[in-house]
């Protein structure tokens, strides 16, 4: 499709799909956050949340600005990205009404041990840590993959420390020492 010489190739359709997915997830996260706070939940680590939002917005914007409409197709990377989306859905469905993009904790709520949480403490962060550089590699932008992959790891390192501190008391109360 062209408009004034602009070609809207498969890469832009992929970026549009990812952006729409993120918007739907933000809507769901805000809804869940409101419900959790109404049940007596409390937010932890609020001060770093704008950094996460800015990082993800800058990542998508950078991809949109630097992507060629028809970069080389890397089917293996696309398949891996699709698998990560299945894992993302598994995390979201496992957490259900407890999934948000913020750290909301309710003291008496049980910690999830089902789904991917049987294997990893933070499976959603593993998905995000992989998909940020992977999408850039799919779009043939290795420097963007490296820069945003490293920035995201730095933010996740900070976030996981804050989240682990918030959940430590609940782990002890639920018999999950450590």
């Amino acid at each position: 499709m062209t408009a004034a010489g602009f070609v809207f190739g498969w890469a832009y359709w992929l970026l549009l799909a990812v952006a729409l997915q993120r918007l739907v997830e933000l809507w769901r996260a805000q809804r869940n956050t409101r419900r959790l706070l109404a049940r007596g939940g409390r937010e932890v680590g609020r001060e770093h949340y704008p950094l996460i939002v800015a990082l993800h917005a800058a990542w998508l914007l950078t991809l949109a600005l630097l992507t060629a409409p028809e970069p080389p197709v890397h089917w293996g990377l696309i398949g891996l990205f699709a698998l990560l989306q299945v894992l993302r859905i598994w995390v979201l469905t496992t957490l259900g009404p407890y999934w948000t993009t913020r750290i909301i904790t309710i003291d008496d709520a049980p910690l999830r041990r089902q789904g991917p949480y049987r294997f990893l403490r933070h499976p959603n962060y593993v998905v995000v840590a992989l998909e940020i550089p992977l999408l850039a590699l799919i779009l043939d932008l290795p420097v963007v993959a490296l820069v945003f992959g490293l920035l995201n790891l730095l933010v996740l390192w900070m976030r996981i420390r804050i989240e682990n501190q918030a959940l430590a008391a609940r782990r002890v109360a639920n018999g999950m020492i450590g």
Side-chain angles (χ1 to χ4, degrees), residues 19 23 26 31 42 48 64 112 132 136:
L23 289 174
L26 281 175
R31 184 190 66 189
R42 68 183 189 290
H48 79 277
R112 297 287 187 194
I132 283 182

Side-chain angles (χ1 to χ4, degrees), residues 22-49:
R22 293 301 198 270
L23 289 174
V24 169
E25 288 176 0
L26 281 175
W27 170 80
R28 182 178 179 187
Q30 289 173 346
R31 184 190 66 189
N32 288 345
T33 296
R34 282 192 305 274
R35 290 178 179 169
L36 291 169
L37 292 173
R39 287 183 47 204
R42 68 183 189 290
E43 183 174 358
V44 180
R46 176 181 293 165
E47 43 298 324
H48 79 277
Y49 187 72

